[in-house]
């Protein structure tokens, strides 16, 4: 594919469609934000696309002045599009692919991510909630509850966000306590006996103190059926609670305290996709069922997760300098109770063995300081520390061979980083930025492996890795409304251990990224355009795949894949053709390929170790396209506005393994959602919506796994679902 020719076509497409996207407000500047476009508040319509203040570089800036690829979604746009979690963001974000294994998210941006399973594996896309890093997989797919906005930063963020952001970052920002009394209660019901209830109460407790309390309960019976046990699978049962306190002793000092809790129980149910390599079929003649939502399994799958934590943010301004501190503690539990890995009625392969708990204790401290003026020189300094201890207990059962393996251990992580950046703007409109971060990380793994109760392996090892990750940016303001930029940066993802199968530690993943782009505001603010071209070179790219031990058990193995390249172009256009109409389109053309990766395919071991050079990177579609149309009829029903929203998403084929295996691949020609909602023109009153998700009833998967024992199995995505929502704001 000629990328430059495709880029030109994409830019023309965006310009012709004259699109517009809802995005974040500027109310809370405490975390990253941004997207080329926003919708106005319902009580103050605008003829153009609103400007947005963002802090993607940890300071307040107009989005159109930020030299990087960012997208963000306000609370209002999340509601009108029915976006309920990180999993839903991919339908509105070019280049973002979200898959889900055992109920937990795997995030990929521009073809870079990680299959996070074991305690020793980190994601390549960092997730932050109110500035606090989410270190374990349970934090990747939390339901959105009382969220002000969500932001997606694309490409390596090694200088400003540090560890484990070689693919990018997702930032979730909660709503702040309000200065006036307010509240919101909302109920939702729908297909598969879905029941959702969320509520919020917020207001002042004194002259300088405000509080906010919110909760969420979300349940559904699940859309897959196990006819052998007469149970449902892929259900949802989650609960979330947050209490926030904001204290403002003076205009210069702000203190925010958060207490949080989240827990979930689900039954992620695998479906066998091919009988050729599954021992349950080849050796025991298991029953084949063609219906993608029906299985016949002898084990009921189950996964439970729980998070409880607290964080404190302190902001202080001293003249032309700002200071910020974010301190967080968190306890997490993850228990894979059981997974019927062979996905049949044969008692062949089970992961979990009835109880496989993982328990983590997390502490982090981040400091930020910077200039707080409009002068030609701006600077930011950063320092961070993280400590985490994870105790894990992971069982795998092969009943047909009377084998049960058990991995028990403790992984301790200490991560430290310090750095900063400075910018200088010349009178000509040229701005030059230089930054660097030093990261150092240590991991210690103490583990024993046992087969049928007999210890077979033991490990007591510690590794330390470090890296310098610089960033250089040149930005030129052609006019007040058009900006060009070019950047060069490096990223670093720490090494780790195969905690489910004792082996040597794998090495850090490193990336070098070059990017050029532009942002422009046209037609008196009615049209925002942005585009960028990028190329990322990866060394020691970390991959995880499923293999079989000599005892016959399945294990997730992580290794370094030598070298890979991800390059592509992206274009977004946002517009408001009329006061009541918003349109949006985004497209990304991507070529993510292995440059050098010698490995043996566990489903085709005969050729031995073969160089997979030229094979696509995992979850790296050549094309993603998202588009939306939103139209509002002001005061259509009394004082209530009525809004119709349509979202469409197209994704070309992605591969779930490094071996370009067509069975372990899938493409989405089209997935669409529609929603019709009403809301009061002001801030208070009754509101509601009716919606349809996956309107074409497309059958596809949220993940596909391939192993030498179970063959190809996958998690089926939800079919077409319907729902109705009703709420009241006061």
């Amino acid at each position: 594919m000629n990328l430059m020719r495709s880029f030109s076509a994409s830019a023309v497409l965006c310009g012709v469609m004259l699109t517009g996207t809802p995005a974040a407000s500027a109310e809370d500047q405490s975390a990253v934000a941004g997207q080329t476009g926003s919708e106005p508040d319902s009580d103050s319509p605008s003829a153009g696309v609103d400007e947005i203040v963002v802090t993607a570089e940890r300071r307040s800036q107009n989005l159109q002045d930020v030299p990087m690829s960012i997208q963000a979604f306000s609370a209002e746009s999340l509601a009108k599009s029915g976006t309920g979690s990180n999993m839903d963001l991919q339908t509105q974000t070019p280049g973002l692919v979200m898959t889900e294994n055992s109920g937990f998210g795997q995030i990929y941006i521009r073809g870079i991510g990680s299959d996070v399973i074991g305690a020793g594996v980190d994601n390549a896309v960092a997730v932050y909630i109110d500035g606090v890093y989410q270190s374990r997989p349970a934090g990747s797919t939390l339901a959105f509850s009382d969220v002000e906005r969500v932001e997606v930063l694309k490409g390596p963020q090694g200088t400003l966000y540090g560890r484990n952001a070689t693919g990018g970052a997702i930032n979730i920002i909660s709503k702040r306590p309000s200065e006036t009394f307010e509240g919101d209660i909302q109920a939702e019901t729908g297909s598969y006996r879905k029941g959702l209830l969320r509520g919020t109460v917020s207001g002042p407790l004194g002259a300088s103190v405000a509080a906010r309390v919110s909760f969420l309960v979300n349940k559904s019976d699940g859309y897959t059926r196990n006819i052998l046990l007469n149970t449902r699978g892929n259900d949802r049962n989650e609960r979330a609670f947050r209490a926030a306190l904001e204290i403002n002793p003076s205009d210069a000092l702000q203190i925010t305290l958060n207490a949080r809790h989240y827990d979930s129980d689900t039954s992620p149910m695998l479906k066998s996709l091919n009988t050729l390599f599954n021992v349950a079929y080849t050796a025991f003649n298991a029953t084949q069922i063609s219906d993608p939502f029906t299985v016949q399994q002898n084990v009921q799958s189950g996964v439970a997760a729980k998070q409880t934590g607290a964080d404190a943010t302190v902001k202080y301004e001293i003249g032309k300098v700002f200071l910020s501190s974010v301190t967080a503690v968190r306890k997490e539990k993850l228990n894979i109770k059981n997974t019927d890995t062979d996905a049949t009625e044969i008692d062949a392969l089970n992961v979990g063995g009835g109880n496989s708990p993982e328990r983590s204790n997390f502490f982090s401290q981040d400091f930020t300081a910077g200039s707080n003026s409009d002068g030609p020189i701006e600077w930011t300094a950063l320092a961070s520390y993280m400590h985490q201890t994870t105790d894990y207990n992971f069982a795998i059962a092969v009943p047909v061979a009377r084998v049960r393996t058990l991995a028990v251990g403790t992984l301790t992580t200490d991560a430290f980083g310090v750095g900063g950046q400075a910018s200088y703007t010349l009178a000509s409109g040229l701005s030059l930025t230089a930054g660097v971060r030093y990261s150092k990380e240590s991991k210690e793994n103490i583990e024993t492996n046992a087969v049928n109760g007999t210890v077979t392996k033991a490990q007591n090892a510690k590794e330390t890795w470090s890296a310098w990750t610089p960033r250089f940016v040149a930005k030129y303001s052609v006019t007040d409304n058009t900006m060009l930029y070019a950047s060069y940066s490096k990223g670093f993802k720490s090494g780790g251990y195969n905690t489910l199968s004792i082996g040597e530690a794998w090495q850090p993943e490193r990336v070098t990224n070059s990017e050029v782009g532009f942002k422009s505001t046209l037609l008196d603010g009615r049209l925002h355009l942005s585009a960028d071209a990028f190329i990322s070179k990866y060394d020691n790219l970390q991959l995880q795949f499923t293999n079989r031990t000599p005892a016959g058990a399945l294990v997730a193995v992580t290794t370094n894949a030598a070298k890979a390249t991800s390059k592509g172009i992206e274009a977004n256009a946002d517009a408001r053709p009329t006061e009541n109409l918003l349109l949006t389109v985004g497209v990304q053309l991507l070529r993510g390929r292995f440059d050098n990766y010698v490995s043996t395919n566990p489903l085709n071991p005969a050729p031995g170790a073969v160089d997979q050079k030229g094979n696509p990177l995992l979850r790296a579609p050549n094309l993603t396209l998202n588009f939306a149309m939103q139209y509002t009829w002001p005061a259509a029903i009394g004082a209530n506005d009525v809004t119709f929203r349509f979202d469409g998403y197209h994704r070309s084929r992605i591969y779930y393994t490094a071996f370009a295996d067509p069975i372990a691949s899938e493409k989405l020609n089209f997935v669409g959602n529609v929603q019709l909602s009403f809301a009061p023109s002001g801030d208070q009153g009754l509101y509601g919506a009716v919606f349809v998700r996956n309107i074409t009833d497309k059958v596809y998967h949220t993940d596909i796994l391939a192993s030498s024992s179970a063959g190809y199995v996958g998690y089926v995505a939800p079919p077409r679902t319907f729902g109705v929502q009703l709420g009241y704001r006061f």
Side-chain angles (χ1 to χ4, degrees):
M1 177 185 294
N2 188 314
L3 286 179
M4 292 310 298
R5 185 184 304 120
S6 302
F7 177 76
S8 300
S10 302
V12 170
L13 172 65
C14 294
V16 169
M17 294 194 68
L18 294 181
T19 59
T21 299
S25 67
E27 175 188 347
D28 180 3
Q29 300 177 6
S30 60
V32 183
Q35 179 172 341
T36 54
S38 71
E39 63 181 320
D41 296 335
S42 58
D43 59 350
S44 59
S46 170
V49 177
D50 286 2
E51 294 184 350
I52 310 162
V53 174
V54 302
T55 53
E57 297 185 306
R58 297 186 181 263
R59 62 176 59 251
S60 298
Q61 297 172 285
N62 187 309
L63 170 66
Q64 295 299 92
D65 293 332
V66 180
M68 66 172 65
S69 179
I70 318 164
Q71 289 184 272
F73 307 91
S74 68
E76 187 174 3
S77 66
L78 291 172
K80 288 182 177 179
S81 63
T83 303
S85 72
N86 284 344
M87 287 293 295
D88 300 327
L89 290 177
Q90 63 183 322
T91 62
Q92 302 173 64
T93 309
L96 172 65
V97 175
M98 287 283 298
T99 57
E100 196 172 30
N101 184 357
S102 300
F104 301 106
Q106 302 160 329
I107 310 173
Y108 284 72
I109 295 178
R110 297 176 174 177
I112 302 301
S114 180
D115 297 342
V116 181
I117 297 296
V121 187
D122 295 303
N123 211 329
V125 177
V127 176
Y128 289 85
I129 298 179
D130 294 332
V132 179
Y133 178 64
Q134 304 299 299
S135 56
R136 301 304 303 136
S140 298
T141 53
L142 300 178
F144 295 152
S145 176
D146 202 29
V147 169
E148 175 65 28
R149 61 181 179 268
V150 180
E151 301 88 19
V152 180
L153 283 67
K154 302 177 184 179
Q157 305 293 320
T159 302
L160 297 175
Y161 289 90
R163 69 187 303 268
N164 301 337
T166 50
I170 294 179
N171 295 274
I172 302 170
I173 296 93
S174 305
K175 291 186 177 180
R176 294 171 51 190
S178 57
E179 296 179 356
T180 58
F181 179 73
E182 63 180 31
D184 190 350
I185 186 73
Q186 179 191 114
E188 182 180 308
T189 187
S191 303
Y192 305 103
R193 297 178 62 185
K194 177 181 176 65
L196 182 148
L197 181 67
R198 58 162 57 98
T200 301
V201 176
S202 181
L205 298 181
S208 59
V209 180
R212 190 177 191 94
V213 176
S214 61
F215 73 91
L216 170 107
V217 178
N218 183 23
K219 295 183 178 182
S220 69
D221 281 353
Y223 51 86
T224 54
R225 186 166 62 101
N226 186 347
I227 59 177
L228 181 62
L229 301 180
N230 193 28
T231 57
R232 310 292 298 192
N234 296 303
D235 57 338
R236 283 290 180 188
N237 188 354
E238 54 190 346
R239 297 153 294 274
F241 172 82
R242 170 181 173 248
L245 189 69
E246 186 174 297
I247 307 169
N248 294 277
S250 68
D251 292 340
L253 178 62
Q254 181 186 91
I255 302 170
T256 304
L257 307 175
N258 286 297
R260 310 173 191 270
H261 175 81
Y262 173 85
D263 66 83
S264 68
D265 290 285
T266 185
S267 299
M269 192 173 289
L270 286 166
K271 175 73 177 181
S272 181
L273 306 181
N274 189 285
T275 64
L276 295 179
F277 301 96
N278 191 328
V279 65
Y281 294 104
T282 58
F284 299 98
N285 197 30
T287 304
Q288 299 184 37
I289 300 176
S290 59
D291 181 16
F293 302 101
T294 302
V295 301
Q296 183 168 302
Q297 297 181 1
N298 63 296
V299 171
Q300 178 65 20
S301 300
V303 177
K306 181 182 293 186
Q307 291 186 347
T308 301
D311 56 82
T313 300
V314 179
K315 301 176 184 178
Y316 188 58
E317 294 185 5
I318 307 174
K320 296 183 179 182
V321 175
F322 72 86
L323 304 173
S324 174
S325 168
V326 180
T327 308
V329 294
R330 186 171 66 245
K331 290 183 178 293
E332 299 179 87
K333 295 181 180 180
L334 168 65
N335 188 11
I336 301 178
K337 303 172 186 177
N338 255 318
T339 298
D340 194 328
T341 311
D342 60 82
T344 71
E345 76 275 21
I346 307 301
D347 197 16
L349 300 165
N350 302 316
V351 170
N355 191 31
S356 288
E358 175 188 297
R359 294 179 172 84
S360 296
N361 292 300
F362 172 91
F363 168 80
S364 68
Q365 175 63 61
D366 291 271
F367 293 107
T368 305
S371 58
N372 192 21
S373 66
D374 296 327
I377 299 178
E378 294 180 339
W379 60 271
T380 304
L382 310 158
S384 65
Y385 173 72
M386 188 204 84
H387 175 80
Q388 180 172 271
T389 300
T390 302
D391 299 316
Y392 56 92
N393 182 323
F394 195 81
I396 302 173
V398 190
V400 294
R402 297 182 180 179
V403 173
R404 185 176 188 271
T405 65
L406 180 65
V408 180
T410 298
L411 182 79
T412 303
T413 302
D414 288 284
F416 169 77
V418 60
Q421 71 174 34
S423 301
Y424 182 74
T425 302
L426 287 74
S428 62
L430 177 64
S431 176
L432 301 176
T433 300
V436 66
R437 178 188 177 98
Y438 174 74
S439 300
K440 184 177 182 179
E441 182 154 339
S442 297
K443 288 186 178 181
E444 181 181 27
N445 190 49
I446 301 174
E447 178 183 355
T448 59
N449 281 185
V451 177
N452 292 339
T454 301
V455 175
T456 56
K457 290 183 180 179
Q459 183 179 73
N460 188 339
K462 184 176 181 178
E463 290 280 350
T464 299
W465 305 277
S466 63
W468 290 92
T469 49
R471 179 175 185 249
F472 303 98
V473 182
K475 181 179 70 171
Y476 180 64
S477 297
V478 181
T479 68
D480 290 341
N481 298 319
T482 300
M483 178 264 289
L484 308 176
Y485 66 89
S487 67
Y488 173 87
S489 61
K490 289 188 175 182
F492 163 77
K493 180 187 173 188
S494 68
Y497 289 91
N498 285 300
T499 54
L500 308 184
S501 175
I502 290 176
E504 297 295 326
W506 64 81
Q507 296 305 304
E509 178 178 296
R510 303 175 190 270
V511 57
T512 299
N513 182 72
S514 301
E515 192 159 339
V516 295
F518 80 89
K519 295 183 179 182
S520 185
T521 301
L522 306 171
L523 303 179
D524 294 327
R526 289 180 178 271
L527 175 64
H528 283 186
L529 293 176
S530 67
D532 62 89
F534 58 88
I535 180 167
S536 299
K537 293 284 189 177
Y538 287 83
D539 287 321
N540 286 327
L541 185 69
Q542 297 170 6
L543 287 182
Q544 187 177 83
F545 60 92
T546 305
N547 208 345
R548 183 171 55 184
T549 68
L554 295 172
V555 293
V557 178
T558 299
T559 184
N560 292 109
K563 297 181 181 297
T565 299
S566 173
K567 58 184 177 181
I569 54 178
E570 178 181 316
N572 293 274
D574 308 89
R576 186 180 296 276
T578 69
E579 183 174 314
N580 301 320
L581 177 63
L582 293 170
L583 301 169
T584 183
V585 68
V587 61
Q588 184 182 96
L589 298 167
L590 178 70
R591 181 177 174 82
R593 297 292 187 268
F594 292 104
D595 297 329
N596 178 22
Y597 177 38
V598 178
S599 181
T600 301
N601 186 345
L603 290 178
N604 185 23
V610 177
D611 192 351
Q612 309 301 325
K613 179 180 180 179
N615 284 356
L617 297 180
L618 278 64
R619 298 164 178 83
N622 290 336
L623 169 67
T624 56
L625 173 68
N626 67 279
F627 48 94
M629 185 275 288
Q630 180 176 301
Y631 191 85
T632 299
W633 293 268
I637 304 177
N640 293 290
D641 299 340
V642 175
T643 299
F644 173 80
R645 170 94 180 194
F646 168 79
D647 286 275
Y649 175 60
H650 169 84
R651 185 182 73 201
S652 64
R653 185 172 300 278
I654 63 173
Y655 291 87
Y656 290 89
T657 73
F659 309 105
D661 193 329
I663 300 178
S665 71
E666 190 171 57
K667 64 179 180 179
L668 293 181
N669 289 329
F670 173 78
V671 174
N673 304 321
V674 295
Q675 180 163 299
L676 183 66
S677 60
F678 73 91
S681 300
D683 295 332
Q684 300 179 356
L686 190 70
Y687 65 93
V690 292
F691 57 84
V692 184
R693 310 281 182 250
N694 189 8
I695 57 176
T696 59
D697 205 20
K698 172 75 174 179
V699 177
Y700 64 102
H701 296 83
T702 59
D703 199 14
I704 294 176
L705 311 175
S707 74
S708 55
S709 297
Y712 302 93
V713 293
Y715 294 101
V716 182
R720 180 169 52 227
T721 57
F722 305 84
V724 59
Q725 177 191 101
L726 193 64
Y728 185 77
R729 299 189 189 98
F730 56 89

